[in-house]
């Protein structure tokens, strides 16, 4: 319907119109609606915001990982992506990537200190990867949102190399305190899962590796209501002295009890998130001097 | 001469129907308009605020056309009559990460308008997992399968190593296209081979949509390099391949680095990926040499710099 002729024909064909009387003239208003596909979906006033915290670090596959993660996040309404770089400064690559996605985002950075006693480039191995970055995001949330503020929100930690179904985000949106669900490819299993009893309560953890951890769950397997994060403002991931596999517990024990947990994904019977790992690309043919143009961003 | 009784009867029958039809007409059209605008008040305010409008004189009436843009999100995007269809051919096989890989690939494809996903399983039968997954995405898809023969001389479970993985599946998709679309059919389409474990930007699909014969672009993490790329001269023509591994292949390019116009696929109906006796890295050439020449190639991604 590009030309006036069409609309006149439409009118003749009986298109409904509203008529207004303005002095002696009748103004007939014809409304034509153009639908424009948007990405991300339009913001809704009624949905709680999901704050997705993603630590990231520079390596060859970084841009690819963030590109495909963004492609998933772009389907989720009311999503706020908090991307935290492990770097001294916010890099141009990430700045451009975030801007080009169109997502609602916050771009932060904090560098994990390097352990100078080892090779100069080695980050302190006593600090699990991503910890300082996740903690910075928690601090940012606490500085940005008022504890008494009623803006409902959910906090989720999403690493940049995992795979997320769209259904997962809708499951976590109804989190009142803390919610949990199974995660594939962790703990040396096809999946680890919370144990849920007939009353719909979490009573344990179906894992082989240390099932007696307070929260034997992977980072990708839980979400917390923003209100709890704001109220328990001293709750952070423990930085040092954390046994392998206890990172998640170090935060969750300060926020919720087992009884508080809401099992999602059909009472923890469905897999909606996979702890996929990306293999390191083979770059042997670059040689010492480099074959490809280093100015071409990968 | 009709009796008064008869006239009364006719009126009593016709009148309710007339009323009913009038009311029905209004009630079906009104909600459609209501979806478009929230209430008459808003549009009046918009008009007063100087919203762009065209005016027509129709006898003593002014017809004001108000164009409202409504931003909607649908998954996938609404089909467009003007965009060429991109037929994405993905071979897939069962292994633990299969569902994860296809889930995140689907999440990407769901943003691309006029996309048709041809998923070909390497299996004896179409599996329930894939059937369910495809249906649940909402994508426009075709679900095929063909099993690569197992090499019985080796371990019973080993597929014939002389047939590169995915070849029979891609060929089946080509055959399906040729059986489904008429050579003289003018439905514009592009054919792209997308493996289920790669990463695709949304920009890529828009780049390939304008393919007239064959188009090419760089691919990251192949050939032992950060990326391999076609070499493009100042005239915008492809004249070679920037690779370390065998740059003298007819088409030294990865499966993910090219797209072909559907018309060519339909016209050269005997062009397939060579099944056996193909040297490593020559799979792509085995098909492309039957479809295009180097001169035909259109470089995309900012003349192969992105």
């Amino acid at each position: 319907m590009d030309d006036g002729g069409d609309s006149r024909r439409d009118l003749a064909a009986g298109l409904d119109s509203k008529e207004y009387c303005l002095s002696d003239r009748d103004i007939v208003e014809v409304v034509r609606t153009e639908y424009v596909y948007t990405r991300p979906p339009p913001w809704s006033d009624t949905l709680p915001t999901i704050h997705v915290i993603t630590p990231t670090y520079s390596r060859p596959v970084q841009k690819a990982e963030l590109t495909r993660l963004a492609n998933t996040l772009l389907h989720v309404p009311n999503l706020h992506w908090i991307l935290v770089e492990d770097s001294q400064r916010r890099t141009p690559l990430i700045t451009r990537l975030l801007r080009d996605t169109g997502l609602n985002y916050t771009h932060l950075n904090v560098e994990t200190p390097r352990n100078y006693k080892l090779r100069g480039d080695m980050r302190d191995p006593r600090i699990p990867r991503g910890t300082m970055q996740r903690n910075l995001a928690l601090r940012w949330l606490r500085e940005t949102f008022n504890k008494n503020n009623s803006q409902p929100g959910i906090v989720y930690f999403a690493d940049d190399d995992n795979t997320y179904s769209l259904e997962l985000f809708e499951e976590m949106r109804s989190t009142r305190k803390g919610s949990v669900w199974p995660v594939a490819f962790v703990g040396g299993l096809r999946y680890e899962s919370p144990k849920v009893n007939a009353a719909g309560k979490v009573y344990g953890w179906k894992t082989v590796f240390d099932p007696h951890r307070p929260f034997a769950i992977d980072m990708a397997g839980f979400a917390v209501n923003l209100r709890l994060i704001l109220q328990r403002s001293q709750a952070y991931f423990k930085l040092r002295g954390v046994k392998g596999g206890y990172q998640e517990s170090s935060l969750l024990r300060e926020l919720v009890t087992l009884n508080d947990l809401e099992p999602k994904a059909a009472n923890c019977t469905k897999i909606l998130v996979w702890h996929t790992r990306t293999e390191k690309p083979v770059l042997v043919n670059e040689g010492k001097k480099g074959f490809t143009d280093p100015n071409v961003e990968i």
Side-chain angles (χ1 to χ4, degrees), chain A residues 109-120:
Chain A
N109 73 289
V110 60
E111 194 178 30
T112 307
R114 280 169 170 66
N115 191 334
Y116 292 109
K117 292 183 197 155
L118 305 173
R119 276 174 47 204

Side-chain angles (χ1 to χ4, degrees), chain A residues 124-185:
Chain A
D124 191 336
R126 294 168 298 167
I127 303 178
R129 161 159 268 159
T131 311
M132 292 186 70
Q133 289 71 37
R134 293 186 193 98
N135 282 345
L136 180 66
L138 290 176
R139 203 177 86 188
W140 181 91
L141 285 169
R142 287 157 177 154
E143 287 171 358
T144 306
F145 294 100
N146 192 316
K147 196 181 334 188
N148 305 314
N149 180 320
S150 57
Q151 274 187 42
I154 313 295
V155 177
Y156 180 58
F157 298 96
D159 287 350
D160 68 6
D161 58 354
N162 291 339
T163 301
Y164 308 89
S165 69
L166 301 182
E167 200 179 333
L168 174 71
F169 297 101
E170 298 320 311
E171 286 289 297
M172 70 175 75
R173 222 187 274 277
S174 55
T175 303
R176 285 151 59 174
K177 288 191 174 179
S179 57
V180 293
W181 50 79
V183 179
F185 310 136

Side-chain angles (χ1 to χ4, degrees), chain A residues 54-58 62 83-89 91 94 107-114 123 127-133:
Chain A
T54 300
T56 187
Y57 67 101
S58 177
Q62 181 187 40
L83 195 58
V84 195
E85 293 196 69
D86 188 340
S87 59
Q88 259 192 13
R89 269 170 282 278
T91 63
I94 301 297
H107 185 184
L108 306 173
N109 73 289
V110 60
E111 194 178 30
T112 307
R114 280 169 170 66
R123 295 182 194 279
I127 303 178
R129 161 159 268 159
T131 311
M132 292 186 70
Q133 289 71 37

Side-chain angles (χ1 to χ4, degrees), chain A residues 207-273:
Chain A
T207 75
V208 166
F209 171 68
D210 212 343
H212 302 295
R213 288 171 277 168
F215 296 87
I217 196 164
D218 181 79
M219 196 65 72
F222 67 92
V224 181
N225 194 301
L226 175 63
R227 202 184 50 242
L228 280 189
I229 299 285
L230 302 178
Q231 281 169 359
R232 319 275 167 95
S233 55
Q234 297 314 308
Y236 284 99
F237 288 103
K238 196 152 179 271
L239 215 53
R240 286 189 174 81
V242 188
K243 252 200 299 185
Y246 281 76
Q247 259 263 296
E248 294 81 359
S249 296
S250 75
L251 174 73
L252 285 171
R253 55 202 287 269
E254 304 197 51
L255 295 172
V256 287
T257 65
L258 212 70
N259 195 57
D260 285 336
L261 296 177
E262 302 143 53
K264 300 292 180 186
N267 264 350
C268 296
T269 58
K270 288 168 72 173
I271 303 295
L272 301 177
V273 57

